[in-house]
Amino acid sequence: MYRTHTNGELRLSHKGEMVTLAGWVQRVRELGGMTFVDLRDRYGLTQLVFSDDMDAALNEQVNKLGREFVIQAKGEVLERSSKNDQMPTGEIEIKVNELTLLNAAELPPFLIENETDGGEEIRMKYRYLDLRRPVMAQALMLRAKLIKAVREYLDNLDFVEVETPNLIKSTPEGARDFLVPSRLQKGSFYALPQSPQILKQLLMVGGMDRYYQIVKCYRDEDFRGDRQPEFTQIDCEMAFVEQEDVLSTFEGMVKHAFKKTIEVDLPDFVRMTYADAMKYYGNDKPDLRFDCKIVDLNEACSGTEFNVFNSALTDGKLIAGIVGKGMATYSRKQIDQLTDFVKEPHRGAGGMIYLKFNEDGSHKSSIDKFLTEEKVAELKAASGAETGDMLLIIVDKESVARKCLGDLRLELAKREDWIDPKAWSVFWVIDFPLFIEDEDTGEFTFAHHPFCSPHQEDLQYWDTEPLKVRAQTYDLIMNGNELCSGSIRIHDKEMQEKVFNSLGLSAEERDAKFGFMLNAFKYGAPPHGGLALGVDRWVMLMVGGTSIRDVIAFPKSTGGRDLMMDAPAQVPQASLEELGVKVVEV
Amino acid sequence: MYRTHTNGELRLSHKGEMVTLAGWVQRVRELGGMTFVDLRDRYGLTQLVFSDDMDAALNEQVNKLGREFVIQAKGEVLERSSKNDQMPTGEIEIKVNELTLLNAAELPPFLIENETDGGEEIRMKYRYLDLRRPVMAQALMLRAKLIKAVREYLDNLDFVEVETPNLIKSTPEGARDFLVPSRLQKGSFYALPQSPQILKQLLMVGGMDRYYQIVKCYRDEDFRGDRQPEFTQIDCEMAFVEQEDVLSTFEGMVKHAFKKTIEVDLPDFVRMTYADAMKYYGNDKPDLRFDCKIVDLNEACSGTEFNVFNSALTDGKLIAGIVGKGMATYSRKQIDQLTDFVKEPHRGAGGMIYLKFNEDGSHKSSIDKFLTEEKVAELKAASGAETGDMLLIIVDKESVARKCLGDLRLELAKREDWIDPKAWSVFWVIDFPLFIEDEDTGEFTFAHHPFCSPHQEDLQYWDTEPLKVRAQTYDLIMNGNELCSGSIRIHDKEMQEKVFNSLGLSAEERDAKFGFMLNAFKYGAPPHGGLALGVDRWVMLMVGGTSIRDVIAFPKSTGGRDLMMDAPAQVPQASLEELGVKVVEV
């Protein structure tokens, strides 16, 4: 071993000991004839000191040291005369009497410090240097700690970690598969799993009873925002359970992991229906770190002279609003910005109505002339607004109005700084619809995936109002992010076939894609359910980051490139010939 | 939850409790008007009993039960009148008063028992049924337990689990890569990692200090014997260490895992040099569960009239043998079989000489007429043979003679049942050569991989006798299997370039394949080393299996096929068009 201690380890209690340290030179300072070197490793920083009476050879060595040089230093632990209470080793320093240069370093292309001058692209290219920054190393360590806590919890509950294969059959689950040409069976392809969904269900058919796996999954999607082509999930499945069993088991897991990883005690998780989430927050993954619910105002808006209200009431549109706490002070310009926000094409509201309840008791609205004092009072009461607040109202098709208000709610939180960065909002959204209708084509598709079990009591709507059929599905929402998604699965062959039929799969397609699964269901499939939980996003939220790239050791850039390795890359023609494929010239 | 207890849980102490169980029907027996059902899950078997006075509806349900039906049964825990001490729940049975059929089952295509009538192919196709056999479920559970013990040990030593990417750059490490066409960068390919070798070294450059990962690796090789295209390794790396630090750290890990998983205390691991392994066992992964070393007999064989010996001595060939304990009783036919064995083309011995030391004090040899009594006595003494043994001698080029004797040693152990199936032989083989010469082309290639550090003291032979240069490499040998392979790595850019040069890589190839790694070495790479340990084989040895397929949930068959999912498979033309590749018509 090149060291007796790490650079985060020595304390005043080690005073007088002879120690050997190794690590990277963080910086070299000269001060009053002395030279100070901060030595860094994953564990911390320790100050080395070279006194002015050191011998000439050592002096020469010290003079050559540069940033990021790798050195080994032997010496005595001394008590510092001027202590630094900002660092754990700040009470001591090492008086070095022997120095070994283990490796020199060129000047790194950016600062190896938490606050770095390196842009994202250069940090990705030199990721091995970026990872030396304490903030990066700590994120990876926290990630490991979180996963350890998760395993601990699941192991204790008799979950068995089972590895499922990564070279599987292409069975589209919604996204595009990465394909791997087979050399031994030319013209055929493996797919990389989008998730081990079917395999874990087959493990339940196989009696594994409780399964988990921390597993890489793959989706060949166009890069939208913060996506990675490979990502990690905590994948779990249980047999002989009902929905509440799954929820309580994994609520326990998340609480355990929070406690063990960042010492946060989460309160019990609310179970909110999808219907309520949409109604009150216009969003199936609401952020509950702040209040501000959507209020329905159809009733309160009846009986005015305002045509927009009246025709909305006739046409079955929705009039709804949210209350901007303390926002009666908003200027015309600020309100215009909010109006522009809801009118952005992907939100599609026609406009926004405001109603300020001024501190002086007066009010001001874009539709003042249509509002009697009684109506204003009624709107104030119905919306729960108080003096000093502003009510923002959207009138539109229900789906548009709720989405706009949901987005507006988040926008206000950002503008008004409503979110405590240390707060956590973690809860379940349950009872998603089984099917959703594609607005363009009118075709049905599954809301989660085609293996979710419908609620028994909703089967009556299957033929007449299929969109009303709820599935036994649940998402775990964390600070407004969908962290986890799961369901009680179908375990009955006929029901599974019924769902495939409703999705428009022919018997042929069905058997080609899912035949092995339907076949398995003939031989005694138990009731089962489970979920999958995104590790990257969870860790990102825990470290308070803004991109999952910051919690992945070697992430891909937008466009799916590894800038460090320069992948993907061209391969020799001979390799492709062996695989029996060729690149199509464009 | 569909149950209050599992089928492995109930004991006499539960007598009188009302319980609910769920599981699969293992078998149904009728006996004296009573019906007995063995109910199975992953945890065990519990006997359900239906008395002859049960009501008609229940009776009808029971009559319909078949093998592998999934049921839920409620009833009272009774003490059995005739107890079964072969099963943990053998003291009790459940008197059922309520039965729910959760799922029916068709008759399975093979027996769901440890001793099954299903051949491998049908078991693979219906793997979900195969996994219900207790022996399979237990193998997967032992696998999970082993991995848990490994993590526990490494976590305690501050190793950080870091996930490395699976879509990387093709950097041939000896085997063929699986390739993944990139859709976003048409004409380019990712590769699936053969191992995270370079990435874990870059984590060391990045200061991660101690890394591990239980990780899937991929090799597109032709299927030889018991190989899988995807396999799992325990991948580890440490910075600021020397070889002995790595050996002792992972010796500790293996011992810990044996103790925790199967309660075996392994003795300290021998460190045997590669040179000694070849000399004494003709093999770089000897099985030390039995003795029987190769003995060199050149000296003892001098001074005879036997031309084969004499010309061997002149030509610098090797005369060596092994002692077959108690094998003086071997018949002519048995000896002929051994001679045929060593003459098989891939072993290539010209013949085999035997010398029996009979119990009556006489001797018998294939070369009796050339051996004086003194020579016989000398050979007996030199070989360590005793009365009743047989000495088997090969005369050949040293490499051929040692390989033949090494193989013969294993063959004798099999024939003579020398191996205690409960014994463990676990130790290190160290100091492999850095290079090996391809016998056909005369080209040099690396013995392990091109990142192994040579021994400093052997650098003097680099230019003149490169095959004499030993690397700081080590293999962990378990019961004659190479379980693990590792090395102290090169961390110096110049040395790494020197190795690439010696391997005949042009500067261009070198930079194209390994440029990013050489670049990283400019910025302060610490001394480091590590290893990778094969999980599949380790578990196979622990469960006493003969194929790694028996410890993998969903393995590939020979030819790389998944018989259950029917993968690899053809994919739609449109998918290939999106990727910009086409299948070459043959």
Side-chain angles (χ1 to χ4, degrees):
Chain A
M1 208 75 85
Y2 282 77
R3 65 188 175 206
T4 55
H5 298 79
T6 69
N7 290 313
E9 197 175 346
L10 294 170
R11 299 288 182 276
L12 205 48
S13 59
H14 295 90
K15 187 177 163 180
E17 284 182 31
M18 293 301 296
V19 298
T20 308
L21 299 181
W24 288 264
V25 171
Q26 177 74 28
R27 59 175 183 160
V28 182
R29 278 164 305 150
E30 295 192 30
L31 200 70
M34 314 271 274
T35 306
F36 296 93
V37 172
D38 283 347
L39 192 63
R40 187 194 63 237
D41 61 17
R42 191 190 98 196
Y43 310 91
L45 280 178
T46 300
Q47 179 167 295
L48 310 179
V49 59
F50 298 86
S51 62
D52 47 1
D53 62 351
M54 64 183 147
D55 68 36
L58 186 55
N59 192 26
E60 196 183 335
Q61 280 186 296
V62 173
N63 284 338
K64 284 186 187 154
L65 290 182
R67 273 168 52 196
E68 302 305 321
F69 277 45
V70 187
I71 60 170
Q72 184 188 43
K74 297 186 188 183
E76 188 184 346
V77 181
L78 302 185
E79 181 169 359
R80 281 205 213 180
S81 52
S82 82
K83 301 197 171 54
N84 178 348
D85 60 8
Q86 300 299 301
M87 55 196 286
T89 63
E91 293 193 302
I92 57 96
E93 61 193 1
I94 312 300
K95 189 183 178 204
V96 180
N97 54 33
E98 196 183 327
L99 184 68
T100 308
L101 177 65
L102 298 175
N103 219 339
E106 291 187 11
L107 193 69
F110 54 88
L111 272 180
I112 311 290
E113 289 178 12
N114 283 349
E115 297 297 322
T116 181
D117 55 352
E120 179 152 37
E121 192 163 326
I122 199 156
R123 287 173 43 218
M124 289 298 157
K125 180 166 179 191
Y126 296 90
R127 188 62 160 180
Y128 42 85
L129 298 179
D130 195 32
L131 293 177
R132 287 187 199 159
R133 297 192 303 126
V135 67
M136 289 301 301
Q138 279 153 18
L140 293 186
M141 286 190 274
L142 184 131
R143 182 182 178 113
K145 201 170 166 189
L146 172 68
I147 288 178
K148 188 182 164 205
V150 164
R151 290 184 192 286
E152 200 172 73
Y153 179 87
L154 294 172
D155 288 339
N156 277 338
L157 288 182
D158 273 336
F159 282 80
V160 181
E161 189 178 17
V162 180
E163 295 171 55
T164 54
N166 281 340
L167 294 170
I168 66 166
K169 183 174 184 164
S170 183
T171 52
E173 282 178 45
R176 202 184 283 108
D177 283 323
F178 279 105
L179 296 178
V180 183
S182 163
R183 180 177 56 86
L184 295 174
Q185 192 174 325
K186 290 189 180 48
S188 287
F189 294 78
Y190 300 100
L192 300 181
Q194 293 181 35
S195 86
Q197 181 62 36
I198 294 179
L199 291 163
K200 72 176 170 178
Q201 291 194 242
L202 293 182
L203 284 175
M204 293 305 104
V205 177
M208 198 37 65
D209 201 72
R210 295 182 164 203
Y211 143 91
Y212 82 95
Q213 190 180 192
I214 318 276
V215 64
K216 279 278 180 69
C217 300
Y218 306 85
R219 288 186 194 173
D220 186 10
E221 290 180 322
D222 291 327
F223 281 73
R224 282 176 297 149
D226 198 21
R227 297 276 185 112
Q228 288 282 313
E230 51 178 312
F231 55 96
T232 305
Q233 65 185 37
I234 301 167
D235 193 52
C236 305
E237 198 77 6
M238 307 169 79
F240 299 113
V241 287
E242 289 162 307
Q243 175 165 311
E244 188 52 37
D245 302 318
V246 180
L247 298 190
S248 61
T249 301
F250 292 98
E251 176 165 340
M253 182 186 89
V254 172
K255 284 177 177 172
H256 175 84
F258 264 84
K259 182 71 183 167
K260 285 281 185 162
T261 311
I262 54 171
E263 289 189 30
V264 165
D265 284 299
L266 292 180
D268 290 343
F269 300 179
V270 166
R271 281 109 172 99
M272 181 185 290
T273 63
Y274 169 83
D276 278 353
M278 296 309 287
K279 180 174 166 68
Y280 295 118
Y281 304 98
N283 192 321
D284 62 2
K285 43 178 198 279
D287 190 334
L288 302 189
R289 285 177 297 175
F290 57 97
D291 199 5
C292 186
K293 285 200 187 67
I294 297 172
V295 280
D296 288 12
L297 299 170
N298 282 35
E299 203 182 316
C301 292
S302 64
T304 70
E305 300 291 307
F306 185 38
N307 261 339
V308 173
F309 284 171
N310 292 333
S311 55
L313 292 170
T314 317
D315 300 349
K317 286 190 176 172
L318 179 69
I319 308 170
I322 56 175
V323 173
K325 270 282 151 217
M327 281 167 47
T329 55
Y330 260 41
S331 67
R332 180 78 218 179
K333 191 176 154 206
Q334 286 174 301
I335 295 173
D336 283 349
Q337 286 169 348
L338 298 179
T339 307
D340 290 346
F341 177 84
V342 297
K343 285 167 80 176
E344 280 175 23
H346 67 285
R347 296 196 181 87
M352 185 187 79
I353 296 158
Y354 72 89
L355 170 51
K356 295 182 188 176
F357 304 101
N358 297 323
E359 286 290 351
D360 63 4
S362 70
H363 59 83
K364 169 82 186 119
S365 169
S366 43
I367 53 167
D368 269 336
K369 59 180 168 183
F370 301 109
L371 298 180
T372 60
E373 288 299 323
E374 293 71 33
K375 198 39 87 179
V376 169
E378 195 180 341
L379 281 167
K380 192 174 178 191
S383 67
E386 296 176 320
T387 300
D389 296 347
M390 173 167 64
L391 174 63
L392 301 171
I393 300 175
I394 305 273
V395 183
D396 216 309
K397 209 169 78 172
E398 176 165 2
S399 60
V400 173
R402 294 209 190 274
K403 166 150 182 53
C404 284
L405 288 167
D407 287 0
L408 193 56
R409 179 181 173 269
L410 294 170
E411 176 67 13
L412 296 187
K414 213 187 294 173
R415 285 173 175 251
E416 295 294 304
D417 215 7
W418 285 343
I419 298 176
D420 172 0
K422 295 204 168 157
W424 288 101
S425 147
V426 189
F427 64 99
W428 297 105
V429 171
I430 61 173
D431 295 344
F432 287 75
L434 184 61
F435 300 111
I436 49 173
E437 192 176 5
D438 188 304
E439 295 215 344
D440 297 328
T441 65
E443 272 177 22
F444 277 17
T445 180
F446 36 84
H448 266 56
H449 55 57
F451 313 117
C452 302
S453 181
H455 276 286
Q456 278 305 114
E457 65 266 36
D458 290 356
L459 291 181
Q460 51 178 320
Y461 308 119
W462 193 285
D463 295 320
T464 49
E465 297 171 273
L467 295 178
K468 229 173 135 174
V469 179
R470 293 165 307 150
Q472 298 186 49
T473 43
Y474 32 84
D475 280 3
L476 187 73
I477 310 304
M478 189 178 289
N479 292 0
N481 293 270
E482 178 203 314
L483 196 71
C484 160
S485 186
S487 63
I488 296 297
R489 324 299 184 185
I490 296 167
H491 66 280
D492 177 78
K493 185 168 179 283
E494 276 67 46
M495 176 55 75
Q496 188 65 69
E497 286 175 345
K498 191 176 157 90
V499 170
F500 286 141
N501 288 344
S502 291
L503 295 172
L505 251 68
S506 72
E508 218 170 34
E509 286 173 291
R510 191 186 72 196
D511 290 345
K513 286 180 183 169
F514 302 110
F516 67 101
M517 186 189 198
L518 291 168
N519 206 32
F521 279 10
K522 288 183 199 162
Y523 294 101
H528 61 288
L531 47 70
L533 204 147
V535 171
D536 305 303
R537 199 155 299 274
W538 192 0
V539 181
M540 182 196 87
L541 292 172
M542 275 196 170
V543 301
T546 53
S547 164
I548 61 171
R549 288 193 290 278
D550 288 340
V551 299
I552 297 174
F554 300 105
K556 304 284 188 290
S557 72
T558 317
R561 295 195 54 73
D562 185 311
L563 299 177
M564 181 183 73
M565 285 191 272
D566 195 20
Q570 294 196 342
V571 295
Q573 195 53 37
S575 301
L576 298 183
E577 278 164 20
E578 276 192 305
L579 295 175
V581 297
K582 64 188 271 190
V583 169
V584 178
E585 303 298 333
V586 199
Chain B
M1 208 75 84
Y2 283 78
R3 64 189 175 207
T4 55
H5 297 79
T6 70
N7 291 312
E9 198 174 347
L10 295 170
R11 299 289 182 274
L12 206 48
S13 59
H14 296 89
K15 186 176 162 180
E17 284 182 33
M18 292 303 295
V19 298
T20 307
L21 299 181
W24 287 265
V25 172
Q26 177 74 29
R27 58 175 184 159
V28 181
R29 278 164 306 151
E30 296 192 30
L31 200 70
M34 314 272 273
T35 305
F36 296 93
V37 172
D38 283 347
L39 193 63
R40 186 192 65 237
D41 61 18
R42 192 189 99 195
Y43 310 90
L45 279 179
T46 299
Q47 179 167 296
L48 309 179
V49 58
F50 299 85
S51 62
D52 46 3
D53 61 354
M54 64 183 148
D55 69 38
L58 186 56
N59 191 27
E60 195 182 337
Q61 281 185 295
V62 174
N63 284 338
K64 284 185 187 157
L65 291 183
R67 274 167 52 197
E68 302 306 320
F69 276 45
V70 187
I71 59 171
Q72 183 188 44
K74 296 186 188 183
E76 187 184 347
V77 181
L78 302 185
E79 182 168 359
R80 281 205 213 179
S81 52
S82 82
K83 300 197 172 55
N84 178 347
D85 61 8
Q86 300 300 300
M87 56 196 285
T89 62
E91 293 192 302
I92 58 97
E93 60 193 2
I94 312 299
K95 188 180 180 206
V96 179
N97 54 34
E98 195 183 327
L99 184 69
T100 308
L101 177 65
L102 298 175
N103 219 339
E106 289 187 11
L107 193 68
F110 54 88
L111 271 180
I112 311 290
E113 289 177 12
N114 282 350
E115 296 297 321
T116 181
D117 55 353
E120 181 153 36
E121 193 163 325
I122 198 158
R123 287 174 43 219
M124 289 298 156
K125 181 166 178 191
Y126 296 90
R127 188 62 160 181
Y128 42 85
L129 297 179
D130 195 32
L131 293 178
R132 287 187 199 161
R133 296 191 304 126
V135 68
M136 290 301 302
Q138 279 152 18
L140 293 186
M141 286 190 274
L142 184 129
R143 183 182 178 114
K145 201 170 167 189
L146 173 67
I147 287 177
K148 187 182 165 205
V150 163
R151 290 184 193 283
E152 198 172 75
Y153 179 87
L154 293 172
D155 287 340
N156 276 338
L157 289 181
D158 272 336
F159 282 80
V160 180
E161 188 176 17
V162 180
E163 295 171 55
T164 54
N166 281 342
L167 294 170
I168 66 166
K169 184 175 183 164
S170 183
T171 53
E173 283 178 44
R176 201 185 284 107
D177 283 324
F178 279 105
L179 297 178
V180 184
S182 162
R183 180 177 56 86
L184 295 174
Q185 193 174 323
K186 291 192 180 47
S188 287
F189 294 78
Y190 300 101
L192 301 180
Q194 294 180 34
S195 86
Q197 181 62 36
I198 294 179
L199 291 163
K200 71 176 170 178
Q201 291 195 242
L202 293 182
L203 284 175
M204 294 304 105
V205 177
M208 200 35 67
D209 201 71
R210 295 183 164 201
Y211 143 92
Y212 81 95
Q213 189 181 192
I214 319 275
V215 64
K216 279 279 179 70
C217 300
Y218 306 86
R219 288 186 194 174
D220 186 11
E221 291 180 321
D222 291 327
F223 281 74
R224 284 176 296 149
D226 198 20
R227 296 277 184 113
Q228 289 281 313
E230 52 178 312
F231 54 97
T232 306
Q233 65 186 37
I234 301 166
D235 193 54
C236 306
E237 199 77 6
M238 307 170 78
F240 300 113
V241 288
E242 291 162 307
Q243 176 165 311
E244 187 53 35
D245 302 318
V246 180
L247 298 190
S248 61
T249 300
F250 293 98
E251 176 165 338
M253 181 186 88
V254 172
K255 285 176 177 171
H256 175 84
F258 264 84
K259 182 70 183 166
K260 285 280 187 162
T261 312
I262 54 171
E263 289 189 30
V264 165
D265 285 298
L266 292 179
D268 289 343
F269 300 178
V270 167
R271 282 108 172 99
M272 181 185 290
T273 63
Y274 169 83
D276 278 353
M278 296 308 287
K279 181 175 165 66
Y280 295 118
Y281 304 99
N283 192 322
D284 62 2
K285 44 177 197 278
D287 190 334
L288 302 189
R289 285 177 296 177
F290 58 97
D291 199 3
C292 186
K293 282 199 188 71
I294 297 171
V295 280
D296 288 12
L297 298 170
N298 282 34
E299 203 182 315
C301 291
S302 65
T304 70
E305 301 290 308
F306 185 39
N307 261 339
V308 173
F309 284 171
N310 292 334
S311 55
L313 292 169
T314 317
D315 299 349
K317 287 188 173 171
L318 179 69
I319 309 171
I322 56 174
V323 173
K325 270 283 151 214
M327 281 167 46
T329 56
Y330 260 42
S331 66
R332 181 76 219 181
K333 189 177 154 203
Q334 286 174 300
I335 295 173
D336 284 348
Q337 287 169 348
L338 298 179
T339 307
D340 291 344
F341 177 84
V342 297
K343 286 165 81 176
E344 280 175 23
H346 67 285
R347 296 196 182 87
M352 185 188 77
I353 296 157
Y354 71 89
L355 170 51
K356 295 182 188 177
F357 304 100
N358 297 323
E359 285 290 354
D360 64 5
S362 70
H363 60 84
K364 171 81 184 120
S365 168
S366 43
I367 55 168
D368 267 339
K369 60 180 168 182
F370 302 110
L371 297 179
T372 61
E373 288 299 325
E374 291 71 33
K375 200 37 87 180
V376 169
E378 196 180 341
L379 280 167
K380 192 175 178 188
S383 66
E386 296 177 319
T387 299
D389 296 347
M390 174 166 66
L391 175 62
L392 301 172
I393 300 174
I394 305 274
V395 184
D396 217 308
K397 210 170 77 173
E398 176 165 2
S399 61
V400 174
R402 294 209 190 275
K403 167 150 181 53
C404 283
L405 288 166
D407 286 359
L408 193 56
R409 180 181 172 271
L410 293 171
E411 176 66 13
L412 295 188
K414 213 186 297 174
R415 285 173 174 251
E416 295 293 304
D417 215 7
W418 285 343
I419 298 177
D420 172 1
K422 296 206 166 155
W424 289 101
S425 147
V426 189
F427 64 99
W428 297 104
V429 171
I430 61 173
D431 295 344
F432 287 76
L434 184 62
F435 301 111
I436 49 172
E437 192 175 4
D438 187 305
E439 294 215 345
D440 297 327
T441 65
E443 272 177 22
F444 277 17
T445 180
F446 37 83
H448 267 56
H449 54 57
F451 313 115
C452 302
S453 181
H455 275 285
Q456 278 304 112
E457 65 267 36
D458 290 356
L459 291 181
Q460 52 179 319
Y461 307 120
W462 193 285
D463 294 320
T464 50
E465 296 171 274
L467 294 178
K468 231 173 132 174
V469 179
R470 294 164 308 148
Q472 297 187 49
T473 44
Y474 32 85
D475 280 2
L476 186 72
I477 310 304
M478 189 177 288
N479 292 359
N481 293 270
E482 178 203 314
L483 194 72
C484 160
S485 186
S487 62
I488 295 297
R489 324 299 184 185
I490 297 167
H491 66 280
D492 177 76
K493 184 168 180 282
E494 277 67 46
M495 175 55 76
Q496 188 65 68
E497 287 175 345
K498 191 176 157 90
V499 169
F500 287 141
N501 288 345
S502 291
L503 294 172
L505 251 68
S506 71
E508 219 169 33
E509 287 174 290
R510 192 186 71 196
D511 290 345
K513 285 181 183 168
F514 303 109
F516 67 102
M517 186 190 198
L518 291 169
N519 205 34
F521 279 10
K522 288 183 198 162
Y523 294 100
H528 62 287
L531 48 69
L533 205 147
V535 172
D536 306 303
R537 199 155 300 273
W538 192 0
V539 181
M540 182 195 86
L541 293 171
M542 275 195 169
V543 302
T546 53
S547 164
I548 60 171
R549 288 192 290 277
D550 289 340
V551 299
I552 296 174
F554 300 105
K556 304 283 188 291
S557 73
T558 317
R561 293 196 55 73
D562 184 310
L563 298 178
M564 182 183 73
M565 284 190 272
D566 195 20
Q570 295 196 340
V571 295
Q573 194 54 36
S575 302
L576 298 183
E577 278 163 21
E578 276 191 306
L579 296 175
V581 297
K582 63 187 271 191
V583 170
V584 177
E585 302 298 333
V586 199

